[in-house]
Amino acid sequence: MGRYVARRLLQMIPVFLGVTLMVFLMMYALPGDPVRALYGDQTYDPAQIAAIKADLGLDQPLWKQYMDYLFGLVQGDFGQQIASQVPVSEIIADALPITARLALLAFAFTVVFGIALGMIAGLKAGRPVDTAVLIVTLLFISVPVFVLGYLAQFFFGHTLGWVTPVVQDSDNWGELLLPAMVLGSLSLAYVARLTRTSIAENLRSDYMRTAVAKGLPRHRILSVHLLRNSLIPVVTFLGVDIGSLMAGAVVTEGIFNINGIGSELFEALFRREGSTVVGIVSLIVIIYLAVSLIVDLLYAVLDPRIRYA
């Protein structure tokens, strides 16, 4: 196990370097000058612009800027925002808890309702309940998140008045519930369909017939034998989905006026704040890689037949 974890950690290094380098190059390949944009339509002194670039290291060759960023990242320095001169780490520290709460609620909504719907549909495959679940999940997959967000905001907020149309307090878990449901709707549809397919397939397996023939209680057959083996593809998707929920929060946070990582990333892209974008993306990549490793280790827990050389 230890050797496998060490090998996976070593494999993460080129992945992290490749993704951050690609984002770094794309940001600095965009047209425009973020330092010059600070002055807007006002007149400016070219010497002052050069001094600001020298202070931020933007006058260095691109490879030197990237190497400086990596060395700073090892020390916990995500760079500095150009406009506000605030360290990117402080911006992330303020916005990350908000997005984490939103993603956690969306993840819980996805896991609980997605697996429950998928299991019901799998056990009732071919029946009206199964058809209804497939239609509802297809609807969630077909409708874009921003359309679903505005519909939920209009129906539950403006029409019924059950919730506030926009989030006024990001620390209030109750106000984040509707945005979390919108954010997790697409993931719920995929989880339900994955669970349904896996359940329906494993129901026909030999070990299920053996468990029934041995006279085991139905709840033990369903929970220990059927669900446990059926969750392996679902866990794989859920592991990747954690990072997707944080990255996909850009649209949801914009609709519901939530000042989280997604909002900061959108504003940084709009202002061409390369250091902020690369810093936030680096954090999301780290979360992706860490969760991917945890998911691989969970395989052995779900299926005792899986062992790591």
Side-chain angles (χ1 to χ4, degrees):
M1 177 71 76
R3 185 178 300 177
Y4 174 79
V5 173
R7 186 168 66 248
R8 284 298 311 273
L9 291 174
L10 290 176
Q11 292 173 352
M12 290 178 181
I13 295 176
V15 175
F16 178 79
L17 293 177
V19 173
T20 54
L21 177 60
M22 183 170 58
V23 176
F24 194 90
L25 294 177
M26 286 191 298
M27 282 304 303
Y28 286 92
L30 292 176
D33 187 345
V35 178
R36 167 66 185 85
L38 294 176
Y39 293 87
D41 296 331
Q42 301 177 1
T43 58
Y44 63 93
D45 184 2
Q48 190 174 10
I49 296 290
I52 296 175
K53 287 185 177 181
D55 183 57
L56 296 174
L58 299 178
D59 61 336
Q60 301 293 328
L62 197 57
W63 66 268
K64 180 69 166 54
Q65 295 183 43
Y66 181 67
M67 294 303 298
D68 290 341
Y69 173 75
L70 289 181
F71 284 123
L73 192 62
V74 173
Q75 302 172 11
D77 182 11
F78 285 84
Q80 189 175 23
Q81 195 175 65
I82 297 175
S84 61
Q85 299 295 306
V86 175
V88 176
S89 57
E90 293 185 9
I91 297 174
I92 293 176
D94 293 336
L96 182 60
I98 299 174
T99 301
R101 282 192 291 270
L102 179 64
L104 182 61
L105 281 174
F107 185 75
F109 172 71
T110 298
V111 172
V112 174
F113 290 96
I115 294 178
L117 288 175
M119 191 166 184
I120 293 172
L123 293 174
K124 305 291 185 181
R127 300 182 183 179
V129 174
D130 178 33
T131 304
V133 171
L134 291 177
I135 292 175
V136 172
T137 53
L138 180 61
L139 181 64
F140 283 156
I141 294 173
S142 304
V143 178
V145 175
F146 66 90
V147 174
L148 188 62
Y150 282 119
L151 288 176
Q153 190 180 54
F154 174 78
F155 185 71
F156 293 105
H158 294 288
T159 304
L160 297 178
W162 290 355
V163 296
T164 55
V166 295
V167 175
Q168 299 175 353
D169 182 8
S170 299
D171 295 329
N172 189 329
W173 290 80
E175 293 191 18
L176 293 177
L177 185 58
L178 182 61
M181 293 173 64
V182 172
L183 178 61
S185 60
L186 178 61
S187 301
L188 179 145
Y190 284 122
V191 168
R193 283 175 168 257
L194 278 173
T195 306
R196 181 257 181 199
T197 303
S198 190
I199 290 286
E201 180 180 354
N202 287 328
L203 272 175
R204 300 188 295 269
S205 301
D206 293 337
Y207 70 86
M208 287 297 299
R209 287 191 288 268
T210 302
V212 174
K214 288 171 64 177
L216 295 177
R218 178 175 173 79
H219 68 87
R220 180 173 177 81
I221 294 175
L222 295 180
S223 61
V224 177
H225 295 277
L226 179 60
L227 184 60
R228 184 175 177 179
N229 287 281
S230 301
L231 283 181
I232 292 179
V234 180
V235 168
T236 303
F237 175 81
L238 289 175
V240 178
D241 190 54
I242 293 178
S244 300
L245 289 175
M246 298 193 66
V250 176
V251 177
T252 308
E253 289 181 359
I255 295 173
F256 291 95
N257 192 32
I258 302 173
N259 298 319
I261 288 291
S263 177
E264 292 291 346
L265 183 60
F266 176 79
E267 292 181 7
L269 285 169
F270 181 76
R271 298 195 306 264
R272 198 177 170 273
E273 287 277 1
S275 57
T276 307
V277 173
V278 177
I280 293 176
V281 171
S282 298
L283 176 65
I284 295 176
V285 170
I286 292 173
I287 294 174
Y288 260 112
L289 295 176
V291 173
S292 176
L293 176 60
I294 294 173
V295 167
D296 286 347
L297 298 179
L298 281 177
Y299 287 159
V301 177
L302 293 173
D303 192 344
R305 296 171 297 179
I306 298 177
R307 289 293 180 266
Y308 299 106

